[in-house]
Amino acid sequence: MKQKNPLVGELCAEFAGTLILILFGVGVVAQVSTSADGSLGDHDSIAWAWGLGVTLGVYVAARLSGAHLNPAVTLALAVFQGFAWRKVLPYAVAQTLGAFVAALIVRVSYADLISAVDPDHTIATQGIFSTLPGNGVADVSLSSAFLDQVVGTAILVFVIFALTSAWNNPPMANLGPVVVGLLVVAIGMAWGANAGYAINPARDFGPRLASFITGYGGAWRDQDGGLYFWLPIVAPLIGGLVGGGLFKVLIERNLTEEPGEDEAVGEPVPETVDSRDRESAGRR
């Protein structure tokens, strides 16, 4: 039997996990945005669907890849937790491709409803696919939106590190995805006003690209016409490093008792990775 390529399996898992995440996340925004009377959802349903999408995406991918589903998480793991640098770019590409394909599926599935409420495919429904300062309606400066994304992603990575560190009494492996999903729900409910809580470069860029090639000519700009697509990429990457660094300084270096082999970890350790990656995944 031909031996499988471990990295290919990991990339397939990142693609599939991110695809599931975006199908629920972008799908719920499409449903809410095309419901004229508001009967099919509101802000809370959006926050919950995004969180559930994260949970389900992590369950899909965790065994094979560790379920990063987010280039900001992947980068932070490489910088602070020993994740292999050679995998960072392939993981980010797989995550972005998964988000792109999922957004295309939503775009086609909701085409009639989107055309009914916004036949010219304007900024009015661009928020289905990608984030905007003030969610496209409030007057929020670029500096505020940038800071918001740094803070939101820092919270995400800091708590993910806490939840998946075997030294930090994390939830059992099979409950880890549920708690991470709840974390995203909480971020959405507390940090969604300034910039729509992208907190994930793949989540924003993949669907933004999908919307651009399917009729949204202004996809790269905000409601004021300013070039905006770069902000939900750069700010989350910085925020992930901030969150990971704070966890190392405030928590990890103060944990003194090493975990026993029978202690739970936050996510399953992929069986297909090499010894260095196995050690890194165990720490997650």
Side-chain angles (χ1 to χ4, degrees):
M1 181 181 294
K2 186 178 179 180
Q3 187 175 7
K4 295 180 179 179
N5 186 325
L7 180 58
V8 170
E10 293 169 42
L11 297 181
C12 287
E14 286 297 304
F15 171 87
T18 311
L19 179 109
I20 293 298
L21 160 61
I22 299 302
L23 283 175
F24 284 100
V26 172
V28 70
V29 182
Q31 177 170 290
V32 172
S33 298
T34 57
S35 172
D37 60 358
S39 62
L40 297 180
D42 54 18
H43 172 268
D44 286 354
S45 61
I46 289 174
W48 278 106
W50 273 108
L52 289 170
V54 169
T55 293
L56 297 173
V58 173
Y59 274 124
V60 165
R63 183 61 186 172
L64 281 174
S65 69
H68 303 180
L69 314 186
N70 183 340
V73 173
T74 300
L75 179 62
L77 287 169
V79 172
F80 298 111
Q81 299 289 349
F83 183 73
W85 278 101
R86 64 184 175 83
K87 296 182 180 181
V88 171
L89 182 58
Y91 266 51
V93 171
Q95 293 154 2
T96 303
L97 185 59
F100 172 76
V101 172
L104 284 180
I105 294 172
V106 174
R107 177 72 176 86
V108 173
S109 299
Y110 275 89
D112 292 344
L113 291 175
I114 291 173
S115 293
V117 300
D118 185 22
D120 295 326
H121 304 115
T122 68
I123 200 75
T125 55
Q126 174 59 40
I128 291 173
F129 301 98
S130 54
T131 59
L132 293 162
N135 293 304
V137 292
D139 186 15
V140 173
S141 67
L142 284 181
S143 58
S144 292
F146 193 96
L147 177 61
D148 173 273
Q149 286 301 285
V150 171
V151 172
T153 314
I155 294 170
L156 176 73
V157 171
F158 184 96
V159 179
I160 284 177
F161 277 22
L163 292 173
T164 57
S165 172
W167 290 25
N168 199 42
N169 192 27
M172 297 292 288
N174 60 345
L175 282 180
V178 175
V179 183
V180 173
L182 290 174
L183 167 62
V184 173
V185 173
I187 292 174
M189 289 183 171
W191 290 91
N194 284 315
Y197 74 106
I199 57 176
N200 182 339
R203 169 267 174 272
D204 195 85
F205 183 77
R208 193 182 293 271
L209 178 60
S211 68
F212 177 73
I213 67 173
T214 58
Y216 284 86
W220 308 113
R221 300 184 179 277
D222 61 22
Q223 62 268 31
D224 297 320
L227 203 62
Y228 186 76
F229 78 94
W230 61 272
L231 191 149
I233 298 173
V234 176
L237 292 174
I238 295 173
L241 296 178
V242 171
L246 286 174
F247 178 79
K248 294 284 287 189
V249 170
L250 298 176
I251 303 299
E252 187 172 277
R253 74 173 184 174
N254 295 309
L255 296 171
T256 56
E257 183 178 350
E258 295 191 15
E261 293 201 3
D262 59 341
E263 289 190 37
V265 295
E267 293 173 1
V269 179
E271 294 181 347
T272 56
V273 297
D274 58 34
S275 60
R276 287 179 302 170
D277 292 338
R278 184 182 300 275
E279 181 182 354
S280 171
R283 287 199 301 270
R284 288 195 62 218

